[in-house]
Amino acid sequence: MTTTPSTATSTANTTIITPAPMQGLSVTGGTSKRRQYPQAIYTAVSPSLSTAPPLTQQNTTTSRLAPMAMPVSSTIPPVIQPPFATTPGSAYGTARPSLPILQPQQTPLDQPNANPNATAQDISATSSPAQTLQAPTPTPTRGRIEVSQMPNPSCIDTNPIIYRTSQGYPPSSQQPAVLIDDANCSPRFMRLTTYQFPATADLASACGIPLAAVITPLATMGANESVPLVDHGKDGPVRCARCRAYINPFVKFGAGGREYMCKMCGMVNQVPEFFFSPLEIDGQRADHQARPELSRGTVEYVASNPMYMSQGRVLQPGAFLFVIDITDQAVSSGITAGVIACLKAILADLPPSFPASVGFLTYGSQVHFWDLTVPDKPRMIVVPDVENVFVPLHSGIFVKPNDPRVPLFLDKLVLVSTKIKDTSSTLGAALAAAAAALKPIGGKILAFHSSMPVTSPGPLKVRESPKIFGTEKEKVLFTSQTTFYHELATQCQASKTGIDLFVFSQQTYMDIATLGDAFRLSGGQLFYYDDRDLLWNLRAFNADLLHSLTRTTGYDAALRVRTNNGLTVSGYHGHMAPSRNGTDIELAAVDSDKTLLVFLKHEEKLEERSDAIIQCAILYTTMAGERRIRVHTLGVPVVAEHSPVFKGADLDALVCVNAHRAADLVLSAKYNTVSGIILDSTVQTLAMYRKHCATSTNAGQLILPESLKLLPIFTCALLKSPMLLSGKSSDLRCQRASIFKSSTPEVVVAMLYPRVFPLHILCQNQPDSDGTVPTRLPPVCRLARDYITNDGAYLLYDGTQLLIYIMHNTPPEVLETLFGTTSVVDMPTAELCQNFCRCTYSGSSPILPLLQSITEHHGHSQLPLHVVVAGTVGYDGLFISRLVEDKVDGENPSFMDFLCQLHKLIHHKLQ
C-alpha cells in the first residue's frame, strides 16, 4: 500500500495547511481565486547612501512585503535624514504620507476535503522559499509528514536589509537591518501588535488581536543609526497647549506657518516665534528637513527648563555602587575573588570619558563602607546596627573608575575578605545602606549575592521542596515571604536609584520571588547564575557586568504614552513601580534593555483612513548628569475591515504580549491554567482570522495569516519554557519570568526559539584572493533532532548567550578551524573557549563574520560564550532542551502534534 505525500498551498498573505488525501479517497482539483492588492515595497536608498552596494529585490511571492536586501556598508553615514514626499491637504497641509492601507483579500477556494480531526501524520504546511545557501535536510522520518515544509523561524533571513520606517511593516526583530527613521519611530523603540489599526473596539475584539505597544524607550541602535539631539534652550520643546503632546511629523501647519493643528487632540496652536518658518506652495515648512522634530519619528531634547527638574535635586553625574558579598560561603567558593577580578579588569578598561563614578560596599553579618580618600590606605567603616543603617561618610565613597586608588583597593579587598569569617548574610541591610548612600546623587546599585539572607532586616527561610511541585502549594513559592524588599524598592524609587541583582545560586534555593521585589519595582534587572561550575558562571558574569555598566542608562525618569482622540491607554506593565496617577510611570532607573508593555483601548470610533498615533515621551537624567526628554511618535493607518488588521499584525509584538501574560500568570496559577489561557489566546486569534477572512475554505485546512504563520510555533515554544514547567526550580522560573516581563522583543523571541547556525557549513567558506572571508551567512537550523547531524558543530544564540555544541563525529578539519586542534575529548570547557576565541579573532576565520553580525545586531559589547561537547554530563541538556519542535520531558507534545491540537481547537471554536 502506497502513501500519498501531503500537499500545501500558499498565497502572498495566507498559509494553508492541508491534510494529505486518505487512501482510497477521490480528490478533485479546483481553481484558486483571489483579489490582487498592492504590496508595500521598501523604497530605494536616499542619495546619502549612494556609495553603498546596489540593492537587490527579494522574492515577493510569500512575504507580505518585499524588502530590498543588501550588505550593510560602512559608508552609510551615522545620521540619516532622507527626504520624503508630502501631499497637499487642507489649509493645514499633510505633513507626511500615511502607511499604505491594504484592503481585504479572499483566501483560495476549493481545497480538498479532509478530516478536521486529522492526526500529526495527516498534516503538512508551507514555508518561505529555500534560501541560496542550504543546510543539509534530513529525510523525513515521520510517516507522510513533510517536516521541512512546516512554518518555522528558520525562514527569517540572516543577512541585513535596509528599512524605512514610514513604508510598510517593520522587519522581524531577528532580521539584521539598518532602520532609517523617516517620520515614524524605529521598531527598536516601539512595536504595535498591528500596523493596520481597527477603527472600532468591536472590530478589534472580533479580530482577537490585543491592542498593545511594546516600548523600549532607550533601545540600543545599530551602528548606522542615531537619535538627533535638539536644544531649544529655556523655551523647551514645542508642545500642544491642551494635551501637552510634543510637536511631531504628523502635525499640520496653516496660517502661513504661524499655526499648527495637533493631530493628537485637534487643537490649533500658535507657533512660537523662535520656531516659525514660512510654508512652501505644498503646505510644507521651508525648514522641514532641518527640523528633526518634524522629520524624524524619534528625537531627544535637552531639558534645561526648570519645569523638567526634580524638586530638591541638583543635576550631577550618577554613580554605580558595588555591593559585594564577603560571607565565608562566597569567599570559600571563589565567588568573591572572581567577582573582584572581573570588576578590576572591567573598570580598568573603561574609557576616561566614562561619566559615572563608582563606590564599594561589602557585607556579611554587618555592613562595611569603604573610604578611598587615602590612595594606599583604604579604610573600612563598619555599621554594626543593621536594623538602622546609616551612611557614616560625607565624602570618599565615590571615585572615578580609572582612579589609581581603585585597583589598589580591590587587591586589598581580596586579602581582607579571606580574614572575615562571616557565616551569615544581611543583604537587606546592605541594599538599604547603598540606597541611602546614593540618595543625594542617584544611579545604580549593582549587588553581587551568593547566600540566603538570614539576618534582619529581610531575613528569608528555605520553603522550596520537590514535594510541593505540581500541587496547589507550589504557588506559594512565587509570593514574597516579607514586605521588606518591596518597601526597600519604594525607598529606591524616592532616591532615584535602581538595583541590578547578580545572584550566584550554588545549588541552593535563593528565593528570587521575594528578592525580586527589589529589582522589579526599582527599574533594575536580575542576573541569575545556576549551579554550573564557577568558571562557567564567571564568564557569563563578566559579560553581564560589562553590559550593565556600558549600556545606555538613565535614572530619575518619568514616562507617559499619549494617543490621539478615540484611543486611550488602559494599562502599563513591566518592571516598574505602580503609577500614582494612572498616566505617568515613574522609573527610578531605566536602561537600553528595559521594555514596557502598554495596552490601548478605544474610547470612540476612529475615522477610517485617518492615522492612529501613539507618542511615548520619557524624561530622564543621563549618567553624565544631563536632563533629557526622548520622544517617540508612531502613526499607523486606521482600517474598518478584518483582513487589513491581520495583514498588519506584528508577530514579535504579539509574542511579547503572550510571554508577558504568561509571566504574570505563572506567579499565581498552575501550569494547566496558564497553558490553557495562552493556548486559548492563540486559538482565538487564528479562529477569528478563519471566520472573517477565510470563510469559504475547507474545514480540514488549518489557515494561517502570512503575518502570523509563525505564531503557532512560538506558542508551542512558550508552553515548553522552563518558566511554565512544573518541577523546575522556582528560582529558575522566576528568572525566566523576569526576562519575559522586561526584555526587548529581540531577546524574548530569541529566548523562545533560539537561532542555531551550522558552523560546519560555515567552515567550508574559504578566504578570497585578498584574504577576506565571504560574509554570506548560512541559514539557521530548525530546532528538531532531525536537523542536527552527528558530524556537525552548531552555534546557538538565544538573546542572552552564545553556546557552541560539538557533536561526537565532527570532522577533524572543522575542529581544527574552530579550536586549533583535531580532538576535543576531555578538554576543559574553559580551554575550549580560549582556543575558540584565539582561532576566531586571529587571521581570516570563516566564523568571525557570523559573530560580528550577532553581536552588532544584539547590541551587547560582549556576549557570554560557552562550549559543550555532546554527552557532557550536566551540560548536554543546555542544547538538547532548546530543541522545542521535539517532545520535552516526554510530556509536552512535539510541534507537529501541537499543530494538530491547535487545528482541532480552532475547528471546535468555530462550531
Side-chain angles (χ1 to χ4, degrees):
M1 179 175 177
T2 61
T3 61
T4 305
S6 57
T7 61
T9 59
S10 177
T11 73
N13 306 299
T14 305
T15 298
I16 305 175
I17 303 176
T18 307
M22 303 300 292
Q23 187 67 24
L25 179 66
S26 175
V27 179
T28 58
T31 59
S32 295
K33 300 179 181 179
R34 65 183 178 93
R35 193 179 305 162
Q36 298 294 326
Y37 300 101
Q39 291 288 328
I41 306 298
Y42 295 89
T43 59
V45 192
S46 67
S48 62
L49 306 180
S50 58
T51 57
L55 298 175
T56 58
Q57 185 95 12
Q58 289 186 340
N59 187 296
T60 63
T61 57
T62 59
S63 63
R64 60 182 181 184
L65 290 176
M68 296 183 173
M70 62 164 287
V72 178
S73 172
S74 60
T75 59
I76 298 178
V79 179
I80 303 173
Q81 295 183 347
F84 57 85
T86 59
T87 53
S90 60
Y92 298 93
T94 302
R96 55 169 294 279
S98 299
L99 294 176
I101 298 180
L102 302 176
Q103 302 298 324
Q105 72 162 69
Q106 293 179 350
T107 313
L109 309 179
D110 302 327
Q111 296 296 334
N113 295 321
N115 179 11
N117 296 319
T119 64
Q121 296 191 2
D122 296 318
I123 296 182
S124 68
T126 62
S127 64
S128 297
Q131 302 182 37
T132 303
L133 190 59
Q134 292 293 329
T137 302
T139 302
T141 59
R142 304 180 182 181
R144 291 179 291 171
I145 283 182
E146 291 289 345
V147 182
S148 62
Q149 294 299 306
M150 302 305 300
N152 67 91
S154 66
C155 64
I156 300 174
D157 196 1
T158 56
N159 295 280
I161 62 169
I162 289 180
Y163 166 74
R164 292 181 178 275
T165 59
S166 67
Q167 298 182 1
Y169 310 111
S172 165
S173 63
Q174 305 301 294
Q175 168 75 67
V178 175
L179 305 178
I180 301 177
D181 180 346
D182 60 346
N184 245 352
C185 82
S186 165
R188 299 195 199 279
F189 299 117
M190 189 188 308
R191 280 183 179 269
L192 297 181
T193 49
T194 178
Y195 282 76
Q196 303 270 4
F197 214 84
T200 65
D202 290 341
L203 178 59
S205 178
C207 291
I209 296 178
L211 301 183
V214 182
I215 301 175
T216 311
L218 301 185
T220 301
M221 293 168 291
N224 300 301
E225 302 165 13
S226 65
V227 174
L229 182 63
V230 177
D231 187 357
H232 288 317
K234 63 179 181 180
D235 295 304
V238 179
R239 303 178 66 179
C240 175
R242 178 192 292 166
C243 69
R244 305 303 294 161
Y246 294 83
I247 198 166
N248 56 75
F250 294 87
V251 303
K252 298 178 180 179
F253 288 91
R258 298 196 176 277
E259 296 177 349
Y260 77 90
M261 179 184 292
C262 175
K263 287 296 291 290
M264 310 295 280
C265 68
M267 181 176 180
V268 176
N269 295 270
Q270 297 297 315
V271 174
E273 287 298 327
F274 77 90
F275 199 73
F276 171 76
S277 174
L279 302 183
E280 296 181 341
I281 191 171
D282 60 355
Q284 194 70 267
R285 282 173 57 116
D287 66 344
H288 174 72
Q289 287 301 317
R291 293 282 190 183
E293 57 267 57
L294 299 179
S295 60
R296 304 282 288 270
T298 295
V299 64
E300 186 154 292
Y301 296 96
V302 175
S304 54
N305 193 307
M307 66 177 291
Y308 298 114
M309 306 299 174
S310 291
Q311 188 175 5
R313 296 187 69 88
V314 178
L315 287 180
Q316 56 184 315
F320 290 100
L321 184 53
F322 303 111
V323 179
I324 305 173
D325 183 353
I326 59 171
T327 58
D328 187 58
Q329 180 180 348
V331 173
S332 60
S333 64
I335 292 176
T336 299
V339 165
I340 294 174
C342 292
L343 262 177
K344 181 180 178 181
I346 290 175
L347 294 179
D349 288 340
L350 292 177
S353 59
F354 188 76
S357 55
V358 298
F360 303 90
L361 185 152
T362 57
Y363 70 96
S365 60
Q366 298 174 324
V367 177
H368 321 124
F369 281 89
W370 290 90
D371 181 3
L372 304 183
T373 303
V374 181
D376 56 344
K377 294 183 179 180
R379 185 166 59 108
M380 175 195 286
I381 302 177
V382 179
V383 181
D385 186 1
V386 294
E387 293 288 352
N388 299 285
V389 293
F390 62 94
V391 182
L393 298 172
H394 295 290
S395 62
I397 299 178
F398 297 102
V399 296
K400 286 295 183 181
N402 56 355
D403 191 300
R405 290 174 288 184
V406 171
L408 295 176
F409 160 71
L410 292 175
D411 289 339
K412 183 175 181 178
L413 182 58
V414 175
L415 299 176
V416 172
S417 64
T418 60
K419 299 177 181 179
I420 302 178
K421 303 297 183 179
D422 227 335
T423 58
S424 59
S425 167
T426 178
L427 173 66
L431 293 177
L438 278 173
K439 186 174 182 179
I441 306 173
K444 268 283 187 75
I445 298 171
L446 275 63
F448 314 121
H449 181 63
S450 61
S451 57
M452 176 77 79
V454 296
T455 304
S456 294
L460 302 178
K461 299 179 180 179
V462 177
R463 54 179 177 169
E464 184 178 81
S465 170
K467 295 180 180 179
I468 65 175
F469 288 163
T471 68
E472 284 293 333
K473 295 182 179 180
E474 185 180 34
K475 62 183 180 183
V476 176
L477 301 177
F478 304 103
T479 59
S480 297
Q481 287 192 46
T482 172
T483 61
F484 171 80
Y485 295 96
H486 187 285
E487 295 166 355
L488 173 65
T490 303
Q491 297 174 15
C492 289
Q493 183 74 27
S495 62
K496 314 303 179 185
T497 301
I499 299 176
D500 281 355
L501 189 59
F502 298 77
V503 177
F504 296 83
S505 71
Q506 301 185 85
Q507 298 182 330
T508 59
Y509 171 65
M510 304 296 289
D511 198 353
I512 298 300
T514 301
L515 297 178
D517 286 343
F519 66 82
R520 280 194 298 266
L521 301 177
S522 67
Q525 184 174 350
L526 170 69
F527 298 92
Y528 178 79
Y529 310 99
D530 55 15
D531 55 355
R532 308 296 165 192
D533 66 75
L534 180 60
L535 289 178
W536 178 290
N537 285 332
L538 287 178
R539 282 196 302 273
F541 167 75
N542 187 78
D544 292 337
L545 178 59
L546 177 62
H547 179 62
S548 182
L549 287 172
T550 57
R551 64 186 172 185
T552 301
T553 300
Y555 61 95
D556 190 8
L559 180 144
R560 175 180 285 195
V561 174
R562 295 178 173 86
T563 60
N564 58 334
N565 288 339
L567 290 176
T568 188
V569 173
S570 62
Y572 295 89
H573 301 269
H575 280 187
M576 59 191 178
S579 173
R580 295 180 181 179
N581 56 12
T583 55
D584 289 348
I585 292 297
E586 295 182 3
L587 300 167
V590 62
D591 55 64
S592 58
D593 297 325
K594 205 61 71 256
T595 301
L596 304 177
L597 185 60
V598 181
F599 284 98
L600 308 171
K601 68 178 181 180
H602 289 81
E603 287 188 320
E604 59 187 54
K605 181 180 179 179
L606 302 178
E607 183 181 349
E608 187 179 356
R609 295 188 178 275
S610 64
D611 285 330
I613 303 174
I614 297 93
Q615 184 178 86
C616 171
I618 180 170
L619 171 66
Y620 71 103
T621 303
T622 68
M623 293 305 290
E626 300 170 340
R627 202 68 171 153
R628 298 285 180 82
I629 306 170
R630 183 170 291 192
V631 181
H632 308 289
T633 308
L634 177 62
V636 296
V638 175
V639 296
E641 298 184 12
H642 299 83
S643 287
V645 176
F646 284 103
K647 191 176 181 67
D650 186 81
L651 175 71
D652 291 4
L654 200 55
V655 168
C656 284
V657 170
N658 286 340
H660 194 288
R661 183 180 297 165
D664 275 339
L665 291 171
V666 76
L667 303 181
S668 59
K670 295 179 64 175
Y671 168 75
N672 290 340
T673 303
V674 178
S675 61
I677 293 174
I678 299 303
L679 182 58
D680 185 67
S681 174
T682 299
V683 170
Q684 177 71 13
T685 300
L686 298 181
M688 292 302 99
Y689 178 78
R690 177 66 176 260
K691 177 180 179 179
H692 298 292
C693 306
T695 56
S696 301
T697 53
N698 186 276
Q701 298 171 332
L702 174 58
I703 309 295
L704 304 175
E706 180 66 15
S707 60
L708 300 179
K709 69 180 181 181
L710 300 182
L711 181 59
I713 198 167
F714 279 109
T715 302
C716 179
L718 177 59
L719 297 179
K720 295 180 180 181
S721 168
M723 176 184 71
L724 297 181
L725 297 183
S726 181
K728 297 289 185 180
S729 162
S730 62
D731 285 345
L732 175 61
R733 296 173 68 181
C734 286
Q735 181 249 1
R736 288 300 175 93
S738 172
I739 292 176
F740 289 147
K741 290 192 65 173
S742 65
S743 298
T744 63
E746 191 269 340
V747 171
V748 172
V749 171
M751 179 65 72
L752 290 175
Y753 197 99
R755 313 209 81 187
V756 174
F757 298 88
L759 296 183
H760 52 284
I761 292 182
L762 204 55
C763 287
Q764 299 172 7
N765 286 352
Q766 298 298 322
D768 296 332
S769 56
D770 58 357
T772 60
V773 179
T775 58
R776 178 71 179 176
L777 302 179
V780 297
C781 299
R782 296 186 59 167
L783 300 185
R785 287 179 175 84
D786 289 345
Y787 291 84
I788 305 300
T789 60
N790 290 328
D791 59 351
Y794 299 91
L795 175 67
L796 181 147
Y797 165 66
D798 69 355
T800 62
Q801 65 177 349
L802 298 171
L803 176 68
I804 298 176
Y805 191 71
I806 306 299
M807 300 298 289
H808 291 296
N809 299 325
T810 303
E813 56 271 20
V814 173
L815 297 177
E816 179 71 30
T817 301
L818 297 178
F819 305 105
T821 180
T822 57
S823 175
V824 295
V825 178
D826 297 329
M827 286 186 66
T829 298
E831 184 178 351
L832 287 173
C833 291
Q834 292 173 355
N835 290 352
F836 177 80
C837 292
R838 186 187 69 251
C839 295
T840 301
Y841 290 99
S842 61
S844 301
S845 170
I847 310 300
L848 185 58
L850 173 61
L851 295 182
Q852 290 174 334
S853 174
I854 292 175
T855 53
E856 180 179 340
H857 177 59
H858 183 72
H860 275 206
S861 51
Q862 183 179 346
L863 278 169
L865 173 67
H866 308 294
V867 180
V868 172
V869 178
T872 304
V873 178
Y875 293 85
D876 200 48
L878 293 176
F879 183 84
I880 299 301
S881 65
R882 310 308 293 272
L883 303 180
V884 296
E885 294 193 39
D886 294 327
K887 285 188 177 181
V888 175
D889 298 331
E891 298 180 1
N892 289 277
S894 67
F895 176 51
M896 296 300 303
D897 294 330
F898 175 79
L899 269 181
C900 295
Q901 178 189 11
L902 186 67
H903 187 201
K904 293 177 183 178
L905 292 173
I906 293 174
H907 178 73
H908 291 316
K909 179 173 283 290
L910 291 175
Q911 284 183 329

